[in-house]
Amino acid sequence: MPKSTTTTTILLLLLFPFFIHATTSSSSSPSTIIKAGFWPSWSFQTLPPSSINFSYFTHLFYAFIPLDPTTFQLSISPFHHLWLTNFTTTVHSQTPPLSALLSIAGGAFNRTIIANLVSNPTSRATFINSTISIALHYNLDGFDFDWEFPANPEQMDNLALLYKEWRAAITCLLPTKVLLLTSSVYFSPDFFLSIVPRSYPVAVMAETLDWINAMCFDYHGWWNTSETGLHAALYDPEKNISTSFGLGTWIREGMPAKKVVLGMPLYGRTWELKESEEHGVGSPAVNVGPGKGGKGIMVYGAIVRFNEENNATVVHDEERVAVYSYAGKSWLGYDDEWSVRKKVEYGMKMGLGGYFFWALGF
């Protein structure tokens, strides 16, 4: 954390016990369509903020800032200080200005640290005051809390406490500043695919968050190499592993549609087919397919090149609203312009708050 924020943080910590139960003033539904994108800070060389096509967006997320495992404050390294400053300045310099938000933790961050954070009132207070101090220092428009994922009902209850206390702090300490509070979440409020039953505190989230970023992807992947799968299908005719089921459940459980933002991936997941002649959805596979990192992940730009270079057959699955391609024994499942358009049309019909992409540069 920059030295200039220390005094502010100490002051907020002293005030925290007095305001924490003062109010949990609810946020209002977004008044405009949210068109968001997450900018991974590690892409600073290939896609610096100045290279982003801002005409596509209303909100940009800086991904990610970690937590100090001991103090539970946001950990702003010299690298993040440099690029967070660059990011917010560039985003705000657009005409009209866009909103710059900071996403915290992320999928690769140690979830035990987050569980420890939310389990204790003092650590929650320290964290919340750290975020407010950072927001003021970097002129941020808000935060996204990306915990992937709470592991049991107790952690869900503690997460609800964090949301309540965070909103109370923002309302009391920043009455004249609009500071957005969002959370990146599982595609469904219920972890119905898990052996540990648990559900998000939807009622609290509806009251305290400006919106949720529903991660409507990774339904299938390297954890099951025996058959191909569409990892971001809008519909699933056989199971409830789909975007429409997940978002519909969020709304049925009480999250206002305008506070539900549909997440779309700018990457695909790939498999190696057992037999090149069997190349449909659910066809037998023997391994992950082409892609970096040994997990069969391929960004959209690479998918387009792969299809062109290998003369791949591209299939637009009308029933599932998803795309796949195959060439030889390589099978790729992903979204393209066609399926994205279909998902946006679905979101408009459902009255959703908008959409986001993970991630810029893909």
Side-chain angles (χ1 to χ4, degrees):
M1 181 180 299
K3 291 181 179 179
S4 60
T5 67
T6 303
T7 301
T8 303
T9 302
I10 292 173
L11 175 60
L12 296 181
L13 283 170
L14 290 172
L15 289 173
F16 193 85
F18 296 97
F19 68 70
I20 196 59
H21 296 296
T23 178
T24 55
S25 175
S26 63
S27 55
S28 58
S29 296
S31 58
T32 59
I33 298 297
I34 296 160
K35 303 176 182 179
F38 282 73
W39 179 73
S41 59
W42 55 89
S43 67
F44 68 98
Q45 290 182 318
T46 55
L47 186 75
S50 59
S51 298
I52 297 172
N53 187 336
F54 291 101
S55 65
Y56 290 127
F57 302 106
T58 58
H59 298 75
L60 275 298
F61 293 89
Y62 181 103
F64 297 99
I65 292 294
L67 299 168
D68 185 292
T70 303
T71 67
F72 299 110
Q73 294 181 330
L74 296 184
S75 181
I76 307 291
S77 66
F79 170 87
H80 286 305
H81 170 69
L82 173 65
W83 286 103
L84 186 54
T85 302
N86 183 300
F87 176 82
T88 53
T89 301
T90 305
V91 170
H92 288 155
S93 68
Q94 305 307 305
T95 304
L98 281 68
S99 296
L101 295 89
L102 174 61
S103 189
I104 300 166
F109 189 73
N110 188 324
R111 64 192 67 180
T112 300
I113 295 174
I114 307 179
N116 292 338
L117 155 65
V118 300
S119 67
N120 183 280
T122 301
S123 58
R124 291 196 301 267
T126 301
F127 165 76
I128 291 169
N129 287 305
S130 169
T131 65
I132 293 176
S133 180
I134 291 297
L136 295 173
H137 183 85
Y138 291 97
N139 193 26
L140 291 166
D141 299 301
F143 290 98
D144 172 69
F145 195 62
D146 187 357
W147 181 5
E148 302 180 26
F149 296 101
N152 52 55
E154 180 183 5
Q155 291 183 5
M156 288 294 190
D157 290 341
N158 290 334
L159 180 61
L161 292 174
L162 176 70
Y163 290 142
K164 289 180 179 180
E165 294 165 4
W166 205 348
R167 176 56 65 185
I170 291 171
T171 301
C172 284
L173 292 182
L174 302 174
T176 61
K177 179 178 174 61
V178 176
L179 194 63
L180 299 170
L181 191 57
T182 76
S183 193
S184 290
V185 297
Y186 193 56
F187 80 103
S188 167
D190 304 312
F191 284 72
F192 64 95
L193 298 173
S194 173
I195 59 174
V196 182
R198 64 214 192 264
S199 300
Y200 281 103
V202 179
V204 171
M205 298 169 80
E207 179 185 11
T208 60
L209 299 179
D210 289 282
W211 70 81
I212 58 168
N213 295 306
M215 294 182 282
C216 299
F217 38 80
D218 293 345
Y219 306 148
H220 305 277
W222 59 266
W223 49 93
N224 181 6
T225 58
S226 65
E227 63 180 31
T228 62
L230 296 167
H231 85 108
L234 181 56
Y235 301 105
D236 184 339
E238 299 173 357
K239 303 176 183 178
N240 289 330
I241 310 175
S242 69
T243 294
S244 60
F245 176 81
L247 298 189
T249 306
W250 273 106
I251 295 169
R252 287 192 297 273
E253 291 294 323
M255 181 62 66
K258 284 295 183 183
K259 289 192 174 187
V260 176
V261 172
L262 188 165
M264 293 184 281
L266 293 178
Y267 66 94
R269 290 190 175 273
T270 68
W271 282 262
E272 179 187 344
L273 295 168
K274 184 177 182 180
E275 302 291 342
S276 59
E277 293 79 13
E278 294 187 57
H279 43 62
V281 178
S283 291
V286 295
N287 206 342
V288 297
K292 294 183 178 180
K295 293 187 175 181
I297 296 174
M298 185 179 289
V299 300
Y300 182 67
I303 290 172
V304 172
R305 291 190 296 272
F306 177 91
N307 289 344
E308 292 175 347
E309 293 170 0
N310 294 276
N311 194 28
T313 299
V314 177
V315 179
H316 290 96
D317 191 316
E318 295 276 356
E319 183 178 26
R320 296 173 177 85
V321 183
V323 188
Y324 64 92
S325 63
Y326 56 90
K329 289 191 174 182
S330 295
W331 195 97
L332 293 62
Y334 55 96
D335 270 338
D336 70 358
E337 295 175 23
W338 171 83
S339 60
V340 166
R341 185 176 294 110
K342 291 284 188 179
K343 288 182 177 182
V344 170
E345 291 172 355
Y346 163 86
M348 294 173 67
K349 291 178 181 178
M350 292 289 290
L352 302 183
Y355 57 83
F356 78 86
F357 286 107
W358 174 264
L360 303 188
F362 286 6

